[in-house]
Amino acid sequence: MPGENTPVLRADVVICTYTDARWDLLERAVASVQTQSVAPGRILLCVDHNDELLERCLATWGPGTDQPGPPIEVFPNRFAGRLGSARNTAVERVTAEVVAFLDDDAEADPTWLETLLSVYAEDGAVAVGGAPLPNHQIARPGWFPYEFDWVFGCHYVGLPEVRQPVRHLIGASMSVRTDALWAVGGFHSDKHDDMDLSHRVAAAHGAAAVVYEPKARIYHVVHPERLTWDYFWRRCYTINRGKVRAFADMGAAGNIRAELEFARAMAGSVTRKLLRALRGDRDAGAQAAAIVGGLAAAGVGHLRGRLDLRAGRLPASLTVGLPPR
């Protein structure tokens, strides 16, 4: 049977953080990793270009502090970029066979790491992602379509509900074999690091090597401003404009098949919601309109990105991968 006689893999967990505004959430994120059913080898806490936050983290979790569970290392991002570079800084310190990433505004389910690691043993995966479930801080507006929960980095309608290969993992809850991450040069994108990782691993090891396991759950805070129409359409636009640079940097590994498949699937979603609206479901009608608006903003963002890339107006990523070992 799959996984028989396969040695149990070890994992280090990386949490990157950048702002004091999330301090309470960061404490909860760290605590959730300290109490995992399968303990990580270490918790690697990388502070992204914020000296005051670095000092606060060192005072809380640094050398000499009394912490339960696995050892915690606190250190600054040593590269010029942002999240992708912070992740690269942490990867340089990883000693386990697998590195798992948790966002600083998320709490991991107690079996999160154990569930991720089981996929490597059972499926021979190279990268495994879990399901970030939304932890809403205010009531969710009825018009917001569940198909677009990706705008705040959460599991969305359209992702598999059972373990299955996927094209994109979600960065708030993902993991990868450490040697495979080094082989693809680490992360190469400031803001699309999860997509960058997924495409590079799939190009190197095949599409079946990137697996989504929805049973590996985390609870990802959705800040109130992310449930507004202004945030929704701007996010659809800016993400897809920025993806153009990320795809260009991937070279042959990059493609937009996942985005095209999503757009096609949304045609069915809009039809189903409009039929519900005809039966009196006002939220369904509003969600259908939001899907159309979101797709339009995404399409305009992609076209603008291609024009800007051709004209040299898209800034180069400051995250440029890991230096050779």
Side-chain angles (χ1 to χ4, degrees):
M1 60 183 288
E4 190 172 1
N5 300 321
T6 302
V8 176
L9 297 177
R10 298 176 303 115
D12 290 339
V13 173
V14 171
I15 301 174
C16 299
T17 188
Y18 71 99
T19 174
D20 283 279
R22 293 185 177 183
W23 180 258
D24 291 345
L25 301 177
L26 175 61
E27 287 186 309
R28 285 183 236 160
V30 172
S32 74
V33 179
Q34 290 174 312
T35 56
Q36 288 292 296
S37 58
V38 169
R42 290 176 302 158
I43 300 172
L44 302 173
L45 181 55
C46 185
V47 180
D48 188 11
H49 303 301
N50 186 328
D51 291 339
E52 291 183 5
L53 179 58
L54 176 63
E55 290 302 316
R56 190 174 186 183
C57 288
L58 285 169
T60 304
W61 296 291
T65 59
D66 184 19
Q67 292 294 324
I72 301 178
E73 294 186 19
V74 179
F75 47 89
N77 181 1
R78 78 179 192 90
F79 298 114
R82 298 310 304 258
L83 180 56
S85 289
R87 294 198 202 267
N88 281 341
T89 298
V91 169
E92 291 185 314
R93 295 170 177 256
V94 171
T95 58
E97 295 91 350
V98 170
V99 52
F101 299 92
L102 178 70
D103 270 13
D104 65 346
D105 57 353
E107 292 181 75
D109 186 87
T111 61
W112 169 70
L113 188 59
E114 179 181 4
T115 306
L116 289 176
L117 290 176
S118 71
V119 183
Y120 292 97
E122 295 167 10
D123 288 14
V126 179
V128 182
L133 303 180
N135 178 8
H136 294 296
Q137 303 300 287
I138 61 171
R140 181 189 180 106
W143 63 264
F144 203 111
Y146 289 91
E147 292 87 344
F148 275 68
D149 279 14
W150 53 265
V151 296
F152 38 72
C154 286
H155 176 92
Y156 56 91
V157 171
L159 278 178
E161 300 297 335
V162 296
R163 184 188 301 180
Q164 190 174 312
V166 292
R167 298 192 188 277
H168 294 174
L169 301 179
I170 301 175
S173 171
M174 66 180 181
S175 65
V176 61
R177 291 180 184 268
T178 308
D179 57 356
L181 182 53
W182 276 98
V184 299
F187 296 98
H188 300 74
S189 176
D190 289 324
K191 298 179 180 178
H192 302 282
D193 46 289
D194 46 4
M195 184 180 74
D196 175 82
L197 170 68
S198 301
H199 280 254
R200 291 181 190 273
V201 168
H205 299 277
V210 180
V211 179
Y212 185 69
E213 173 51 275
K215 291 181 180 178
R217 294 181 292 267
I218 69 167
Y219 305 95
H220 196 192
V221 167
V222 179
H223 302 276
E225 68 274 10
R226 298 185 179 187
L227 288 171
T228 63
W229 171 249
D230 186 65
Y231 183 88
F232 176 84
W233 76 262
R234 287 181 185 276
R235 187 75 168 158
C236 292
Y237 174 86
T238 56
I239 283 180
N240 285 278
R241 179 174 178 263
K243 279 183 178 181
V244 173
R245 163 59 71 184
F247 283 131
D249 291 343
M250 289 179 210
N255 63 79
I256 63 168
R257 284 194 290 271
E259 286 71 21
L260 295 175
E261 290 170 1
F262 176 80
R264 284 194 292 269
M266 288 307 96
S269 288
V270 168
T271 300
R272 289 189 293 273
K273 290 178 189 297
L274 288 176
L275 289 174
R276 284 165 46 197
L278 290 174
R279 295 193 292 268
D281 188 337
R282 295 178 63 182
D283 284 347
Q287 288 176 23
I291 290 174
V292 173
L295 289 176
V300 172
H302 178 77
L303 291 174
R304 177 62 184 270
R306 294 188 64 173
L307 291 172
D308 287 346
L309 182 66
R310 183 175 299 178
R313 292 192 296 264
L314 270 185
S317 173
L318 295 177
T319 300
V320 293
L322 285 164
R325 285 197 282 189

